Amino acid sequence: METALKENTVQHGLLDGFVDQPAHQAKKFSDANIWQNTPLWGILSEGVARHPTKTAVADPSGALTYADLLQAADEMAAGLQDAGLTAGDRVVFQIANSLSFAKVFFALQRAGLVPVLALPAHGIAEISHFIKLAGAKAYFGSNLDNDGKALNIADALSREFEQQLSHIYIAGEAGKYSTLPQGNAAQFIPVASAPEHPALFLVSGGTTGLPKLIPRTHNDYRFNIQSCAAASDFSSEEVYLAVLPAAHNFTLGCPGLLGALQVGGKVIFTANPSPDYCFAVIEQDKVTATALVPALAQLWTAAKEWENADTSSLRVMQIGGSKLAYSDALAVQKAFPGALQQVFGMAEGLIACTRLNDDEELIAAKQGRPVSQWDEVRIVDDEGAPVELGEEGELLTRGPYTLRGYYRAQEHNARAFTQEGFYRSGDRAILDENGYIVVTGRIKDVVNRAGECIATDEIEEQLLMHPNVAQVAVVAVPDQHLGEKIGVALVKKNLAPTLQELRSFLKQQGLASFKLPDELHIVPSLPKTAVGKIDKKRVLGPDGSPWVNTQI
Ligand code: OOB
């Protein structure tokens, strides 16, 4: 363990625009020992102290033990300090699932640098926005598959941020840019950042405009990881397959790769989410845990019909990020017996999940309960008043790992939080008497048809029960007479259904006639967000004309 720790005194504006927990809450969390006042990099250094020679991380290029990973991180951290980056500096981090992800992530933590965790699918618009907003000095990209995308981003950034962006590093083929630096680890002293200050910024999966920055502190993120690891029964035997982008909260810390490392397990990175590839890895490496979005889980479930690989080592298959339809949940339970865990989470904080020993029916039907008893969840009506138990409303939340404000977003924060500091999630949900949550949609996701407000998710849920519907998005289509009409874009299973068939199917299911779809478009695929959720706002073209943007 480290003896001498360098005080992180200079923050270079890190705290400008950071909203922390009120002092009395912070004291309460520390007194209760849920905030442990240790740095995020402790996950790795504690692992080195306990089991240095165990494998920590692997990808197709090789593997590193806990000691190797810390050594590699410290060499890089020393190199970054030599290059003039100092504690509290913000950097934008956009690295694909690989050993480099782990090395750079821990190097940044050891050097006290604060990364914005961009996703590989983000383009120049988002990256440039992150650099501006965070006042970042450095960009870390990866060109591991040699597609040149990171180099194009680097070119654009070096033109746009000639002054501000002093460092660009590329993992893999770096072209004219610097490869990741290496300094002398023996001379290196890790930075002891203040544990109540941001350790990293997650980006919001928001439905409008550019993503916002979500500060996650050492204290809150470690508690997040630890609570999720407990809720998923993570142990030192864990072999975690990082399939979704590692920079997304789900894969990173819920419990994700950091949760697996926290308990002494092993993390395998893959940049290839296809079932044929992943099933082979699961069989060969005896993978025990992974996390998927529903669209990917559907693919994996279907592939079980023809792939013969033995996936029985998979103890927990977490599915979250968007609503897992009940019918899909049943199919997952059949294909991967005993493994389904639904997770309802958000980069902003609150994580809820079903528990592995819950009743199978509950696991299929509900999104779960909070991972910590310190999480506060409220369901409120349009006026912000709490609804009766079992009634639908907007989900608000507050707690020891939920943000108190987006970074540098004062105006937005005034709307996104209540006076008492509850985060308004924008999710519509129902709470049961045991604290389990059923998510019923987004509060704003409605079609206003002739004055009637219709929640699209109810129609989607019903349509997914149809045997020929694989994926579906119900959206508002502008209409001269009705204001908006109900449009359906769907990916078919087997035979394509007609609009008439769907309308009579929905009628049979008991749906009111004003909720029946007006238009149907069969599409080869639906647009997806950077983490692979169906991106409903892109189903409709930018000029308001329907279905132009469905080829992604
Ligand atoms: C996860 O995080 P984000 O920040 O990308 O997205 C959060 C939003 C939630 O507010 C909700 O609208 C939706 O994604 N969501 C779900 C869901 N899980 C997330 N909606 C319905 N059912 C679910 N199970 O997506 C995220 C972060 C950590 C763990 C898991 C997911």
Side-chain angles (χ1 to χ4, degrees), residues 471-507:
Q471 288 178 1
V472 68
V474 172
V475 295
V477 179
D479 182 82
Q480 255 190 330
H481 307 291
L482 299 165
E484 286 177 349
K485 55 186 176 178
I486 303 172
V488 174
L490 73 76
V491 180
K492 69 180 171 68
K493 211 191 281 178
N494 316 312
L495 285 176
T498 64
L499 180 62
Q500 270 325 313
E501 267 168 38
L502 292 179
R503 287 173 62 100
S504 28
F505 175 77
L506 291 173
K507 240 197 203 136

PDB file of all heavy atoms in Angstrom, residues 471-507:
ATOM      1  N   GLN A 471     -39.283  -5.883 -32.762  1.00  0.00           N
ATOM      2  CA  GLN A 471     -39.002  -4.618 -32.072  1.00  0.00           C
ATOM      3  C   GLN A 471     -39.977  -3.571 -32.573  1.00  0.00           C
ATOM      4  O   GLN A 471     -40.384  -3.615 -33.733  1.00  0.00           O
ATOM      5  CB  GLN A 471     -37.573  -4.153 -32.362  1.00  0.00           C
ATOM      6  CG  GLN A 471     -36.541  -5.007 -31.668  1.00  0.00           C
ATOM      7  CD  GLN A 471     -35.117  -4.588 -31.992  1.00  0.00           C
ATOM      8  OE1 GLN A 471     -34.896  -3.632 -32.728  1.00  0.00           O
ATOM      9  NE2 GLN A 471     -34.167  -5.300 -31.445  1.00  0.00           N
ATOM     10  N   VAL A 472     -40.291  -2.629 -31.700  1.00  0.00           N
ATOM     11  CA  VAL A 472     -41.301  -1.655 -32.107  1.00  0.00           C
ATOM     12  C   VAL A 472     -41.078  -0.299 -31.449  1.00  0.00           C
ATOM     13  O   VAL A 472     -40.587  -0.223 -30.323  1.00  0.00           O
ATOM     14  CB  VAL A 472     -42.719  -2.205 -31.792  1.00  0.00           C
ATOM     15  CG1 VAL A 472     -42.953  -2.294 -30.296  1.00  0.00           C
ATOM     16  CG2 VAL A 472     -43.799  -1.372 -32.440  1.00  0.00           C
ATOM     17  N   ALA A 473     -41.403   0.755 -32.193  1.00  0.00           N
ATOM     18  CA  ALA A 473     -41.403   2.106 -31.619  1.00  0.00           C
ATOM     19  C   ALA A 473     -42.700   2.779 -32.035  1.00  0.00           C
ATOM     20  O   ALA A 473     -43.036   2.810 -33.219  1.00  0.00           O
ATOM     21  CB  ALA A 473     -40.209   2.904 -32.124  1.00  0.00           C
ATOM     22  N   VAL A 474     -43.430   3.282 -31.052  1.00  0.00           N
ATOM     23  CA  VAL A 474     -44.651   4.025 -31.342  1.00  0.00           C
ATOM     24  C   VAL A 474     -44.328   5.498 -31.162  1.00  0.00           C
ATOM     25  O   VAL A 474     -43.811   5.898 -30.120  1.00  0.00           O
ATOM     26  CB  VAL A 474     -45.802   3.597 -30.397  1.00  0.00           C
ATOM     27  CG1 VAL A 474     -47.013   4.494 -30.563  1.00  0.00           C
ATOM     28  CG2 VAL A 474     -46.172   2.139 -30.651  1.00  0.00           C
ATOM     29  N   VAL A 475     -44.605   6.295 -32.189  1.00  0.00           N
ATOM     30  CA  VAL A 475     -44.236   7.720 -32.144  1.00  0.00           C
ATOM     31  C   VAL A 475     -45.370   8.599 -32.644  1.00  0.00           C
ATOM     32  O   VAL A 475     -46.271   8.142 -33.349  1.00  0.00           O
ATOM     33  CB  VAL A 475     -42.966   8.008 -32.998  1.00  0.00           C
ATOM     34  CG1 VAL A 475     -41.749   7.320 -32.432  1.00  0.00           C
ATOM     35  CG2 VAL A 475     -43.176   7.627 -34.448  1.00  0.00           C
ATOM     36  N   ALA A 476     -45.279   9.865 -32.277  1.00  0.00           N
ATOM     37  CA  ALA A 476     -46.262  10.838 -32.730  1.00  0.00           C
ATOM     38  C   ALA A 476     -45.904  11.290 -34.140  1.00  0.00           C
ATOM     39  O   ALA A 476     -44.764  11.653 -34.411  1.00  0.00           O
ATOM     40  CB  ALA A 476     -46.259  12.038 -31.794  1.00  0.00           C
ATOM     41  N   VAL A 477     -46.894  11.261 -35.033  1.00  0.00           N
ATOM     42  CA  VAL A 477     -46.693  11.753 -36.398  1.00  0.00           C
ATOM     43  C   VAL A 477     -47.575  12.995 -36.574  1.00  0.00           C
ATOM     44  O   VAL A 477     -48.784  12.921 -36.316  1.00  0.00           O
ATOM     45  CB  VAL A 477     -47.126  10.676 -37.423  1.00  0.00           C
ATOM     46  CG1 VAL A 477     -46.938  11.188 -38.840  1.00  0.00           C
ATOM     47  CG2 VAL A 477     -46.343   9.394 -37.203  1.00  0.00           C
ATOM     48  N   PRO A 478     -46.989  14.120 -36.969  1.00  0.00           N
ATOM     49  CA  PRO A 478     -47.802  15.333 -37.116  1.00  0.00           C
ATOM     50  C   PRO A 478     -48.943  15.099 -38.111  1.00  0.00           C
ATOM     51  O   PRO A 478     -48.741  14.432 -39.137  1.00  0.00           O
ATOM     52  CB  PRO A 478     -46.802  16.361 -37.685  1.00  0.00           C
ATOM     53  CG  PRO A 478     -45.446  15.777 -37.486  1.00  0.00           C
ATOM     54  CD  PRO A 478     -45.585  14.301 -37.351  1.00  0.00           C
ATOM     55  N   ASP A 479     -50.109  15.618 -37.777  1.00  0.00           N
ATOM     56  CA  ASP A 479     -51.263  15.422 -38.650  1.00  0.00           C
ATOM     57  C   ASP A 479     -52.125  16.682 -38.657  1.00  0.00           C
ATOM     58  O   ASP A 479     -52.421  17.236 -37.597  1.00  0.00           O
ATOM     59  CB  ASP A 479     -52.087  14.232 -38.148  1.00  0.00           C
ATOM     60  CG  ASP A 479     -53.269  13.948 -39.047  1.00  0.00           C
ATOM     61  OD1 ASP A 479     -53.065  13.273 -40.073  1.00  0.00           O
ATOM     62  OD2 ASP A 479     -54.386  14.417 -38.731  1.00  0.00           O
ATOM     63  N   GLN A 480     -52.509  17.087 -39.842  1.00  0.00           N
ATOM     64  CA  GLN A 480     -53.287  18.324 -40.028  1.00  0.00           C
ATOM     65  C   GLN A 480     -54.570  18.352 -39.220  1.00  0.00           C
ATOM     66  O   GLN A 480     -54.942  19.351 -38.646  1.00  0.00           O
ATOM     67  CB  GLN A 480     -53.669  18.429 -41.503  1.00  0.00           C
ATOM     68  CG  GLN A 480     -52.857  19.459 -42.242  1.00  0.00           C
ATOM     69  CD  GLN A 480     -53.455  19.683 -43.617  1.00  0.00           C
ATOM     70  OE1 GLN A 480     -54.036  18.775 -44.196  1.00  0.00           O
ATOM     71  NE2 GLN A 480     -53.323  20.894 -44.116  1.00  0.00           N
ATOM     72  N   HIS A 481     -55.273  17.225 -39.215  1.00  0.00           N
ATOM     73  CA  HIS A 481     -56.603  17.213 -38.593  1.00  0.00           C
ATOM     74  C   HIS A 481     -56.558  16.830 -37.124  1.00  0.00           C
ATOM     75  O   HIS A 481     -57.230  17.413 -36.293  1.00  0.00           O
ATOM     76  CB  HIS A 481     -57.517  16.256 -39.359  1.00  0.00           C
ATOM     77  CG  HIS A 481     -57.530  16.565 -40.819  1.00  0.00           C
ATOM     78  ND1 HIS A 481     -58.112  17.715 -41.310  1.00  0.00           N
ATOM     79  CD2 HIS A 481     -56.986  15.913 -41.886  1.00  0.00           C
ATOM     80  CE1 HIS A 481     -57.936  17.757 -42.624  1.00  0.00           C
ATOM     81  NE2 HIS A 481     -57.264  16.670 -42.985  1.00  0.00           N
ATOM     82  N   LEU A 482     -55.743  15.827 -36.804  1.00  0.00           N
ATOM     83  CA  LEU A 482     -55.752  15.303 -35.434  1.00  0.00           C
ATOM     84  C   LEU A 482     -54.706  15.974 -34.530  1.00  0.00           C
ATOM     85  O   LEU A 482     -54.690  15.738 -33.334  1.00  0.00           O
ATOM     86  CB  LEU A 482     -55.469  13.790 -35.456  1.00  0.00           C
ATOM     87  CG  LEU A 482     -56.482  12.933 -36.214  1.00  0.00           C
ATOM     88  CD1 LEU A 482     -55.921  11.547 -36.488  1.00  0.00           C
ATOM     89  CD2 LEU A 482     -57.774  12.833 -35.415  1.00  0.00           C
ATOM     90  N   GLY A 483     -53.861  16.793 -35.121  1.00  0.00           N
ATOM     91  CA  GLY A 483     -52.730  17.325 -34.343  1.00  0.00           C
ATOM     92  C   GLY A 483     -51.574  16.351 -34.439  1.00  0.00           C
ATOM     93  O   GLY A 483     -50.573  16.594 -35.095  1.00  0.00           O
ATOM     94  N   GLU A 484     -51.756  15.191 -33.805  1.00  0.00           N
ATOM     95  CA  GLU A 484     -50.772  14.109 -33.948  1.00  0.00           C
ATOM     96  C   GLU A 484     -51.515  12.810 -34.148  1.00  0.00           C
ATOM     97  O   GLU A 484     -52.617  12.628 -33.625  1.00  0.00           O
ATOM     98  CB  GLU A 484     -49.916  13.997 -32.673  1.00  0.00           C
ATOM     99  CG  GLU A 484     -48.893  15.112 -32.520  1.00  0.00           C
ATOM    100  CD  GLU A 484     -48.099  15.034 -31.215  1.00  0.00           C
ATOM    101  OE1 GLU A 484     -48.452  14.251 -30.310  1.00  0.00           O
ATOM    102  OE2 GLU A 484     -47.110  15.770 -31.112  1.00  0.00           O
ATOM    103  N   LYS A 485     -50.918  11.919 -34.920  1.00  0.00           N
ATOM    104  CA  LYS A 485     -51.514  10.581 -35.000  1.00  0.00           C
ATOM    105  C   LYS A 485     -50.493   9.534 -34.561  1.00  0.00           C
ATOM    106  O   LYS A 485     -49.305   9.850 -34.384  1.00  0.00           O
ATOM    107  CB  LYS A 485     -52.074  10.298 -36.384  1.00  0.00           C
ATOM    108  CG  LYS A 485     -51.105  10.476 -37.505  1.00  0.00           C
ATOM    109  CD  LYS A 485     -51.819  10.314 -38.841  1.00  0.00           C
ATOM    110  CE  LYS A 485     -50.838  10.586 -39.963  1.00  0.00           C
ATOM    111  NZ  LYS A 485     -51.396  10.414 -41.275  1.00  0.00           N
ATOM    112  N   ILE A 486     -50.987   8.321 -34.387  1.00  0.00           N
ATOM    113  CA  ILE A 486     -50.150   7.262 -33.808  1.00  0.00           C
ATOM    114  C   ILE A 486     -49.434   6.492 -34.910  1.00  0.00           C
ATOM    115  O   ILE A 486     -50.084   5.836 -35.737  1.00  0.00           O
ATOM    116  CB  ILE A 486     -51.014   6.300 -32.967  1.00  0.00           C
ATOM    117  CG1 ILE A 486     -51.756   7.091 -31.881  1.00  0.00           C
ATOM    118  CG2 ILE A 486     -50.154   5.194 -32.356  1.00  0.00           C
ATOM    119  CD1 ILE A 486     -52.790   6.283 -31.123  1.00  0.00           C
ATOM    120  N   GLY A 487     -48.141   6.609 -34.938  1.00  0.00           N
ATOM    121  CA  GLY A 487     -47.343   5.900 -35.932  1.00  0.00           C
ATOM    122  C   GLY A 487     -46.607   4.729 -35.297  1.00  0.00           C
ATOM    123  O   GLY A 487     -46.163   4.817 -34.152  1.00  0.00           O
ATOM    124  N   VAL A 488     -46.498   3.654 -36.053  1.00  0.00           N
ATOM    125  CA  VAL A 488     -45.772   2.479 -35.566  1.00  0.00           C
ATOM    126  C   VAL A 488     -44.656   2.149 -36.549  1.00  0.00           C
ATOM    127  O   VAL A 488     -44.909   2.012 -37.747  1.00  0.00           O
ATOM    128  CB  VAL A 488     -46.711   1.255 -35.443  1.00  0.00           C
ATOM    129  CG1 VAL A 488     -45.924   0.001 -35.074  1.00  0.00           C
ATOM    130  CG2 VAL A 488     -47.798   1.512 -34.422  1.00  0.00           C
ATOM    131  N   ALA A 489     -43.437   2.043 -36.033  1.00  0.00           N
ATOM    132  CA  ALA A 489     -42.337   1.518 -36.845  1.00  0.00           C
ATOM    133  C   ALA A 489     -41.978   0.189 -36.215  1.00  0.00           C
ATOM    134  O   ALA A 489     -41.754   0.122 -35.009  1.00  0.00           O
ATOM    135  CB  ALA A 489     -41.143   2.457 -36.808  1.00  0.00           C
ATOM    136  N   LEU A 490     -41.962  -0.848 -37.030  1.00  0.00           N
ATOM    137  CA  LEU A 490     -41.627  -2.127 -36.402  1.00  0.00           C
ATOM    138  C   LEU A 490     -40.705  -2.993 -37.242  1.00  0.00           C
ATOM    139  O   LEU A 490     -40.693  -2.940 -38.467  1.00  0.00           O
ATOM    140  CB  LEU A 490     -42.887  -2.872 -35.937  1.00  0.00           C
ATOM    141  CG  LEU A 490     -43.871  -3.547 -36.863  1.00  0.00           C
ATOM    142  CD1 LEU A 490     -43.318  -4.869 -37.388  1.00  0.00           C
ATOM    143  CD2 LEU A 490     -45.132  -3.842 -36.067  1.00  0.00           C
ATOM    144  N   VAL A 491     -39.929  -3.782 -36.521  1.00  0.00           N
ATOM    145  CA  VAL A 491     -39.077  -4.791 -37.129  1.00  0.00           C
ATOM    146  C   VAL A 491     -39.841  -6.103 -36.985  1.00  0.00           C
ATOM    147  O   VAL A 491     -40.265  -6.456 -35.884  1.00  0.00           O
ATOM    148  CB  VAL A 491     -37.725  -4.877 -36.396  1.00  0.00           C
ATOM    149  CG1 VAL A 491     -36.832  -5.934 -37.032  1.00  0.00           C
ATOM    150  CG2 VAL A 491     -37.038  -3.513 -36.383  1.00  0.00           C
ATOM    151  N   LYS A 492     -40.052  -6.768 -38.114  1.00  0.00           N
ATOM    152  CA  LYS A 492     -40.907  -7.963 -38.069  1.00  0.00           C
ATOM    153  C   LYS A 492     -40.134  -9.216 -37.619  1.00  0.00           C
ATOM    154  O   LYS A 492     -38.908  -9.274 -37.730  1.00  0.00           O
ATOM    155  CB  LYS A 492     -41.507  -8.223 -39.440  1.00  0.00           C
ATOM    156  CG  LYS A 492     -40.494  -8.669 -40.487  1.00  0.00           C
ATOM    157  CD  LYS A 492     -41.194  -8.894 -41.814  1.00  0.00           C
ATOM    158  CE  LYS A 492     -40.222  -9.129 -42.944  1.00  0.00           C
ATOM    159  NZ  LYS A 492     -39.467 -10.376 -42.893  1.00  0.00           N
ATOM    160  N   LYS A 493     -40.920 -10.162 -37.124  1.00  0.00           N
ATOM    161  CA  LYS A 493     -40.427 -11.501 -36.837  1.00  0.00           C
ATOM    162  C   LYS A 493     -41.217 -12.395 -37.782  1.00  0.00           C
ATOM    163  O   LYS A 493     -42.434 -12.204 -37.906  1.00  0.00           O
ATOM    164  CB  LYS A 493     -40.772 -11.840 -35.383  1.00  0.00           C
ATOM    165  CG  LYS A 493     -39.796 -12.762 -34.679  1.00  0.00           C
ATOM    166  CD  LYS A 493     -40.367 -13.245 -33.354  1.00  0.00           C
ATOM    167  CE  LYS A 493     -40.280 -12.248 -32.220  1.00  0.00           C
ATOM    168  NZ  LYS A 493     -40.876 -12.721 -30.960  1.00  0.00           N
ATOM    169  N   ASN A 494     -40.648 -13.295 -38.462  1.00  0.00           N
ATOM    170  CA  ASN A 494     -41.355 -14.134 -39.442  1.00  0.00           C
ATOM    171  C   ASN A 494     -42.051 -13.272 -40.502  1.00  0.00           C
ATOM    172  O   ASN A 494     -41.406 -12.517 -41.182  1.00  0.00           O
ATOM    173  CB  ASN A 494     -42.357 -15.074 -38.759  1.00  0.00           C
ATOM    174  CG  ASN A 494     -41.767 -15.715 -37.518  1.00  0.00           C
ATOM    175  OD1 ASN A 494     -40.656 -16.218 -37.561  1.00  0.00           O
ATOM    176  ND2 ASN A 494     -42.485 -15.675 -36.419  1.00  0.00           N
ATOM    177  N   LEU A 495     -43.409 -13.333 -40.523  1.00  0.00           N
ATOM    178  CA  LEU A 495     -44.178 -12.606 -41.542  1.00  0.00           C
ATOM    179  C   LEU A 495     -44.488 -11.185 -41.094  1.00  0.00           C
ATOM    180  O   LEU A 495     -44.774 -10.957 -39.928  1.00  0.00           O
ATOM    181  CB  LEU A 495     -45.515 -13.314 -41.763  1.00  0.00           C
ATOM    182  CG  LEU A 495     -45.480 -14.612 -42.556  1.00  0.00           C
ATOM    183  CD1 LEU A 495     -46.873 -15.235 -42.584  1.00  0.00           C
ATOM    184  CD2 LEU A 495     -44.979 -14.339 -43.982  1.00  0.00           C
ATOM    185  N   ALA A 496     -44.488 -10.238 -42.060  1.00  0.00           N
ATOM    186  CA  ALA A 496     -44.823  -8.855 -41.698  1.00  0.00           C
ATOM    187  C   ALA A 496     -46.326  -8.723 -41.452  1.00  0.00           C
ATOM    188  O   ALA A 496     -47.126  -9.093 -42.312  1.00  0.00           O
ATOM    189  CB  ALA A 496     -44.381  -7.920 -42.807  1.00  0.00           C
ATOM    190  N   PRO A 497     -46.727  -8.189 -40.296  1.00  0.00           N
ATOM    191  CA  PRO A 497     -48.159  -7.980 -40.057  1.00  0.00           C
ATOM    192  C   PRO A 497     -48.648  -6.741 -40.809  1.00  0.00           C
ATOM    193  O   PRO A 497     -47.859  -5.855 -41.118  1.00  0.00           O
ATOM    194  CB  PRO A 497     -48.232  -7.745 -38.548  1.00  0.00           C
ATOM    195  CG  PRO A 497     -46.888  -7.212 -38.174  1.00  0.00           C
ATOM    196  CD  PRO A 497     -45.896  -7.762 -39.162  1.00  0.00           C
ATOM    197  N   THR A 498     -49.961  -6.676 -41.092  1.00  0.00           N
ATOM    198  CA  THR A 498     -50.522  -5.466 -41.701  1.00  0.00           C
ATOM    199  C   THR A 498     -51.077  -4.567 -40.609  1.00  0.00           C
ATOM    200  O   THR A 498     -51.288  -5.011 -39.475  1.00  0.00           O
ATOM    201  CB  THR A 498     -51.680  -5.815 -42.664  1.00  0.00           C
ATOM    202  OG1 THR A 498     -52.727  -6.398 -41.867  1.00  0.00           O
ATOM    203  CG2 THR A 498     -51.238  -6.797 -43.740  1.00  0.00           C
ATOM    204  N   LEU A 499     -51.370  -3.320 -40.974  1.00  0.00           N
ATOM    205  CA  LEU A 499     -51.944  -2.377 -40.004  1.00  0.00           C
ATOM    206  C   LEU A 499     -53.276  -2.913 -39.476  1.00  0.00           C
ATOM    207  O   LEU A 499     -53.544  -2.875 -38.275  1.00  0.00           O
ATOM    208  CB  LEU A 499     -52.126  -1.003 -40.663  1.00  0.00           C
ATOM    209  CG  LEU A 499     -52.719   0.082 -39.778  1.00  0.00           C
ATOM    210  CD1 LEU A 499     -51.822   0.388 -38.586  1.00  0.00           C
ATOM    211  CD2 LEU A 499     -52.968   1.367 -40.571  1.00  0.00           C
ATOM    212  N   GLN A 500     -54.089  -3.439 -40.390  1.00  0.00           N
ATOM    213  CA  GLN A 500     -55.403  -3.968 -39.975  1.00  0.00           C
ATOM    214  C   GLN A 500     -55.250  -5.092 -38.962  1.00  0.00           C
ATOM    215  O   GLN A 500     -55.945  -5.139 -37.954  1.00  0.00           O
ATOM    216  CB  GLN A 500     -56.195  -4.465 -41.208  1.00  0.00           C
ATOM    217  CG  GLN A 500     -57.068  -3.407 -41.845  1.00  0.00           C
ATOM    218  CD  GLN A 500     -57.684  -2.444 -40.826  1.00  0.00           C
ATOM    219  OE1 GLN A 500     -58.236  -2.854 -39.792  1.00  0.00           O
ATOM    220  NE2 GLN A 500     -57.564  -1.142 -41.075  1.00  0.00           N
ATOM    221  N   GLU A 501     -54.310  -6.002 -39.232  1.00  0.00           N
ATOM    222  CA  GLU A 501     -54.067  -7.124 -38.309  1.00  0.00           C
ATOM    223  C   GLU A 501     -53.681  -6.605 -36.928  1.00  0.00           C
ATOM    224  O   GLU A 501     -54.170  -7.087 -35.912  1.00  0.00           O
ATOM    225  CB  GLU A 501     -52.903  -7.977 -38.820  1.00  0.00           C
ATOM    226  CG  GLU A 501     -53.294  -9.154 -39.686  1.00  0.00           C
ATOM    227  CD  GLU A 501     -52.058  -9.734 -40.369  1.00  0.00           C
ATOM    228  OE1 GLU A 501     -50.985  -9.788 -39.723  1.00  0.00           O
ATOM    229  OE2 GLU A 501     -52.173 -10.093 -41.537  1.00  0.00           O
ATOM    230  N   LEU A 502     -52.800  -5.622 -36.915  1.00  0.00           N
ATOM    231  CA  LEU A 502     -52.331  -5.097 -35.626  1.00  0.00           C
ATOM    232  C   LEU A 502     -53.463  -4.413 -34.882  1.00  0.00           C
ATOM    233  O   LEU A 502     -53.603  -4.571 -33.672  1.00  0.00           O
ATOM    234  CB  LEU A 502     -51.159  -4.125 -35.829  1.00  0.00           C
ATOM    235  CG  LEU A 502     -49.864  -4.764 -36.329  1.00  0.00           C
ATOM    236  CD1 LEU A 502     -48.792  -3.699 -36.506  1.00  0.00           C
ATOM    237  CD2 LEU A 502     -49.380  -5.848 -35.376  1.00  0.00           C
ATOM    238  N   ARG A 503     -54.275  -3.662 -35.620  1.00  0.00           N
ATOM    239  CA  ARG A 503     -55.391  -2.977 -34.962  1.00  0.00           C
ATOM    240  C   ARG A 503     -56.363  -3.982 -34.351  1.00  0.00           C
ATOM    241  O   ARG A 503     -56.794  -3.820 -33.217  1.00  0.00           O
ATOM    242  CB  ARG A 503     -56.116  -2.056 -35.960  1.00  0.00           C
ATOM    243  CG  ARG A 503     -55.315  -0.800 -36.296  1.00  0.00           C
ATOM    244  CD  ARG A 503     -55.972   0.007 -37.407  1.00  0.00           C
ATOM    245  NE  ARG A 503     -57.288   0.489 -37.024  1.00  0.00           N
ATOM    246  CZ  ARG A 503     -57.559   1.718 -36.609  1.00  0.00           C
ATOM    247  NH1 ARG A 503     -56.596   2.596 -36.512  1.00  0.00           N
ATOM    248  NH2 ARG A 503     -58.793   2.068 -36.296  1.00  0.00           N
ATOM    249  N   SER A 504     -56.667  -5.057 -35.078  1.00  0.00           N
ATOM    250  CA  SER A 504     -57.609  -6.017 -34.466  1.00  0.00           C
ATOM    251  C   SER A 504     -56.941  -6.781 -33.319  1.00  0.00           C
ATOM    252  O   SER A 504     -57.590  -7.089 -32.319  1.00  0.00           O
ATOM    253  CB  SER A 504     -58.250  -6.972 -35.476  1.00  0.00           C
ATOM    254  OG  SER A 504     -57.428  -7.180 -36.557  1.00  0.00           O
ATOM    255  N   PHE A 505     -55.652  -7.030 -33.447  1.00  0.00           N
ATOM    256  CA  PHE A 505     -54.927  -7.688 -32.341  1.00  0.00           C
ATOM    257  C   PHE A 505     -55.007  -6.829 -31.073  1.00  0.00           C
ATOM    258  O   PHE A 505     -55.318  -7.318 -29.988  1.00  0.00           O
ATOM    259  CB  PHE A 505     -53.466  -7.916 -32.754  1.00  0.00           C
ATOM    260  CG  PHE A 505     -52.595  -8.482 -31.663  1.00  0.00           C
ATOM    261  CD1 PHE A 505     -52.654  -9.830 -31.328  1.00  0.00           C
ATOM    262  CD2 PHE A 505     -51.715  -7.656 -30.968  1.00  0.00           C
ATOM    263  CE1 PHE A 505     -51.850 -10.351 -30.313  1.00  0.00           C
ATOM    264  CE2 PHE A 505     -50.909  -8.153 -29.956  1.00  0.00           C
ATOM    265  CZ  PHE A 505     -50.990  -9.510 -29.634  1.00  0.00           C
ATOM    266  N   LEU A 506     -54.749  -5.525 -31.241  1.00  0.00           N
ATOM    267  CA  LEU A 506     -54.755  -4.627 -30.075  1.00  0.00           C
ATOM    268  C   LEU A 506     -56.159  -4.493 -29.487  1.00  0.00           C
ATOM    269  O   LEU A 506     -56.335  -4.413 -28.280  1.00  0.00           O
ATOM    270  CB  LEU A 506     -54.212  -3.242 -30.473  1.00  0.00           C
ATOM    271  CG  LEU A 506     -52.720  -3.206 -30.811  1.00  0.00           C
ATOM    272  CD1 LEU A 506     -52.321  -1.839 -31.357  1.00  0.00           C
ATOM    273  CD2 LEU A 506     -51.871  -3.540 -29.594  1.00  0.00           C
ATOM    274  N   LYS A 507     -57.168  -4.485 -30.372  1.00  0.00           N
ATOM    275  CA  LYS A 507     -58.553  -4.416 -29.913  1.00  0.00           C
ATOM    276  C   LYS A 507     -58.877  -5.634 -29.050  1.00  0.00           C
ATOM    277  O   LYS A 507     -59.464  -5.519 -27.982  1.00  0.00           O
ATOM    278  CB  LYS A 507     -59.475  -4.377 -31.136  1.00  0.00           C
ATOM    279  CG  LYS A 507     -60.322  -3.127 -31.190  1.00  0.00           C
ATOM    280  CD  LYS A 507     -61.442  -3.387 -32.159  1.00  0.00           C
ATOM    281  CE  LYS A 507     -62.022  -2.129 -32.732  1.00  0.00           C
ATOM    282  NZ  LYS A 507     -62.255  -2.230 -34.168  1.00  0.00           N
TER     283      LYS A 507
END
